[in-house]
Amino acid sequence: MTASSLREISRYNIHTFRHHYVSEISGSLGDLGTFLPIAIALAANGTVSLGSTLVFSGVYNILTGLFFGIPLPVQPMKAIAAVAIARTFSPGSVAAAGIFVGTCILIFSLTGLLRWFSNVIPIPVIKGIQVGAGLSLVISACGTILRPLGWISPSWADNRIWAIAAFVFLAITNVYRKVPYALVVLVLGLVFAIIRSAVTMHLPYFHIWHPWLTVPSPHQWHVGAIDAGIGQIPLTTLNSIVAVVHLAHDLFHSDVRTLSITHIGLSVAGMNLLGCWFGAMPVCHGSGGLAAQYYFGARSGASVIFLGVLKLAIGLFFGETLVDLLKQFPGAFLGIMVIAAGLELVMVGESLNTSGARDLGQAGGGVLGNEDQHLGPVLTDEERKRRWTVMMVTVGGLLGFKNDAIGFLAGLMAYWAYSIPELWDKGRNYLSQGRLRLA
C-alpha cells in the first residue's frame, strides 16, 4: 500500500466523518450485538482478559480503519469461542487456538493459497456462505438471546416487551435511515445496565490495565489447536476473508481499491499472532459484522476508528471491572441488533442473478455459459434456477450442520453436478475433433 493510497483513505475518512458523524458513530456500534455477548461470556469464565480484549481489538479497529478505509469489523472467532465457552477452556488453550489459526492464515496468505481459493470458488457458493451466515445470526439471536426472555422477566429492563419495542423502532428507522438506531439503543441499554448494576453495587471503577503474558503449555497447544483451532480455519477462510472481500466490493464498489484477499488474510493473521499472547480474545473480520455496521450507517474507516478509540480508552482505564456492568446490558436490545445484522447480510443474495454479482457481465464459462458469453444480460431461466439452487444448497448445508465447511462442500458438489453435462459435451467435441485431424 502506497503513501498516496493512505492519504486518499485518510481524506475519505475525514470527509465522511465530518459530514455524517452521527451515522458513522451509530454504524460503528452495529456489530456490538455479536461482540459483547461472546466477549462477556469468555471474560466471565476467566478464559480471556476483557481488558486485553478491549485494548487489542480497539487497536485493530483503529488500524483497519486507517489502512482499509471501510467499516471493517473486528469480531470474535465464533468456532473457538463456542468450544471455549462449552468446555471452559483455560487462557492458554484459547491463546493456542488463536495463534494456531493466525499462523495457518499467515501461511495461506504468503503462499497465495487464499487468492487462488477466492478465484476458484463459484459466486453462487460465496453468496450462499453470506446468506447462510446471515440466517445463522438471526437464528442464534432468536434461539439463544430472545427466546429465554419472558414478558416481564428476567427484569423490568430486559424482557419481550422491550424486544418488541426495539424491533418496532428498527422497522421505523429502516424507513427513516437518518435516525441513528444503534446509537440510541446502545445509550438506552447502557442506562438500563448502569441502573441495574447500581442496585447490586457492581458498578465499574477506575482500574489501569495490566497486561500479562500467556504462554500455552504443550498440552494447551494440543487442546487449543486440535479441539478448537482446526474447526475455525474453514470458517475464518470462507466467512471472514473470502466472503468479507466480496461483500465489501458489493457494498462499496470503487471505494475499496486497496482491499484484497491477501490484505485481509494478513490482517487476520497479525491480529491473532499479537494479541492472543496477552490474553486477548481470538478475533477476525466477518461479513456479518460488515453488514451490520453498514446497515446502521457506517460508510468509512472513521466509524471503526471511533469505535477503536472508545474500546482502547475503556480497556485501559476500566478493564475487567466492566464485566458485571456488561452482563446487565439488556439481551432484548442485543438480540434485535443481531437480527438486523443478519437480515442485512441475507439481502446480498438478492443480487445473485443480476449485474450486482461479480461474475455476471464478465466473460466466463463453466456451467452457465461459454467463454465468449456475457452472462449478465442473457441468463436464461434455467441458468438462474441453477445458480439459485447452488446458493440454497450451500445455505442448507451450512444451517443444517451448523458448519461453514459442510455448506461450502455441498454447494461445490451441486455446482459440479450441474457442470457434468457441459464437460461431457466438451469432451466429446474434443475427441471428435481429434479423430477428424487423424483422419
Side-chain angles (χ1 to χ4, degrees):
M1 186 176 296
T2 64
S4 61
S5 297
L6 291 175
R7 285 194 297 269
E8 183 180 350
I9 291 172
S10 296
R11 285 195 296 269
Y12 174 69
N13 287 340
I14 294 171
H15 178 270
T16 304
F17 192 82
R18 181 179 296 170
H19 290 84
H20 307 284
Y21 61 91
V22 175
S23 296
E24 290 293 293
I25 293 174
S26 178
S28 72
L29 309 174
D31 191 39
L32 293 183
T34 301
F35 183 90
L36 286 180
I38 295 177
I40 294 169
L42 290 172
N45 290 340
T47 303
V48 301
S49 164
L50 182 60
S52 294
T53 296
L54 290 172
V55 168
F56 280 99
S57 65
V59 171
Y60 304 152
N61 279 133
I62 294 170
L63 292 177
T64 54
L66 290 173
F67 281 96
F68 296 118
I70 65 171
L72 196 63
V74 175
Q75 291 186 315
M77 286 191 171
K78 298 180 182 64
I80 292 178
V83 176
I85 293 169
R87 297 177 51 180
T88 317
F89 267 18
S90 65
S93 296
V94 170
I99 295 167
F100 171 76
V101 174
T103 302
C104 292
I105 297 300
L106 177 64
I107 294 172
F108 296 162
S109 301
L110 295 177
T111 58
L113 283 174
L114 277 180
R115 189 169 56 253
W116 173 83
F117 194 53
S118 174
N119 291 335
V120 301
I121 300 176
I123 293 298
V125 175
I126 292 176
K127 293 282 187 182
I129 294 293
Q130 293 172 330
V131 172
L135 290 175
S136 294
L137 287 176
V138 174
I139 293 170
S140 175
C142 294
T144 63
I145 302 178
L146 298 177
R147 183 181 294 173
L149 299 178
W151 286 107
I152 56 173
S153 62
S155 79
W156 62 269
D158 190 16
N159 50 56
R160 291 181 184 176
I161 295 175
W162 281 115
I164 293 173
F167 185 79
V168 171
F169 185 41
L170 176 67
I172 293 172
T173 56
N174 190 49
V175 177
Y176 302 99
R177 285 296 186 117
K178 291 185 178 181
V179 179
Y181 178 87
L183 182 59
V184 173
V185 169
L186 180 73
V187 171
L188 184 60
L190 283 176
V191 171
F192 286 179
I194 291 171
I195 294 173
R196 295 172 67 187
S197 296
V199 172
T200 60
M201 302 300 292
H202 286 107
L203 287 171
Y205 54 88
F206 184 78
H207 177 76
I208 296 294
W209 174 59
H210 297 289
W212 68 83
L213 188 64
T214 301
V215 181
S217 66
H219 175 70
Q220 290 170 337
W221 279 113
H222 179 269
V223 171
I226 302 300
D227 294 357
I230 291 178
Q232 180 66 50
I233 290 175
L235 179 60
T236 296
T237 303
L238 294 171
N239 186 49
S240 302
I241 300 176
V242 176
V244 80
V245 170
H246 281 262
L247 180 63
H249 282 278
D250 289 341
L251 295 177
F252 298 96
H253 307 294
S254 61
D255 293 332
V256 288
R257 289 186 295 273
T258 59
L259 198 65
S260 72
I261 292 289
T262 303
H263 289 150
I264 297 299
L266 291 174
S267 176
V268 171
M271 290 190 298
N272 292 285
L273 291 177
L274 175 62
C276 290
W277 291 103
F278 297 93
M281 177 176 63
V283 292
C284 58
H285 305 302
S287 55
L290 177 58
Q293 293 176 164
Y294 184 89
Y295 179 89
F296 289 116
R299 294 295 184 272
S300 75
S303 61
V304 288
I305 293 173
F306 170 85
L307 178 63
V309 171
L310 191 63
K311 283 183 182 178
L312 185 59
I314 294 173
L316 285 174
F317 300 116
F318 294 97
E320 314 302 325
T321 70
L322 285 166
V323 173
D324 290 326
L325 173 66
L326 295 179
K327 282 183 181 179
Q328 300 298 329
F329 194 93
F333 294 163
L334 288 177
I336 300 303
M337 290 178 70
V338 173
I339 288 176
L343 293 177
E344 178 70 17
L345 192 53
V346 167
M347 286 191 291
V348 304
E350 181 187 10
S351 64
L352 175 67
N353 291 324
T354 69
S355 58
R358 296 183 68 199
D359 61 337
L360 297 184
Q362 300 175 0
V367 59
L368 303 171
N370 57 52
E371 294 181 354
D372 299 320
Q373 187 179 35
H374 290 276
L375 300 178
V378 294
L379 281 179
T380 65
D381 290 341
E382 180 63 25
E383 289 168 337
R384 293 175 186 274
K385 180 179 178 181
R386 290 180 180 182
R387 289 170 65 87
W388 183 260
T389 301
V390 170
M391 183 180 77
M392 294 310 298
V393 167
T394 306
V395 172
L398 189 154
L399 293 179
F401 291 92
K402 298 181 179 179
N403 189 306
D404 285 47
I406 293 178
F408 169 70
L409 292 174
L412 279 184
M413 291 175 66
Y415 184 86
W416 291 336
Y418 279 128
S419 69
I420 290 175
E422 181 185 358
L423 294 175
W424 175 257
D425 291 340
K426 285 185 176 180
R428 290 177 59 187
N429 291 336
Y430 178 79
L431 290 175
S432 62
Q433 290 173 3
R435 283 196 295 268
L436 288 173
R437 291 194 191 98
L438 290 174

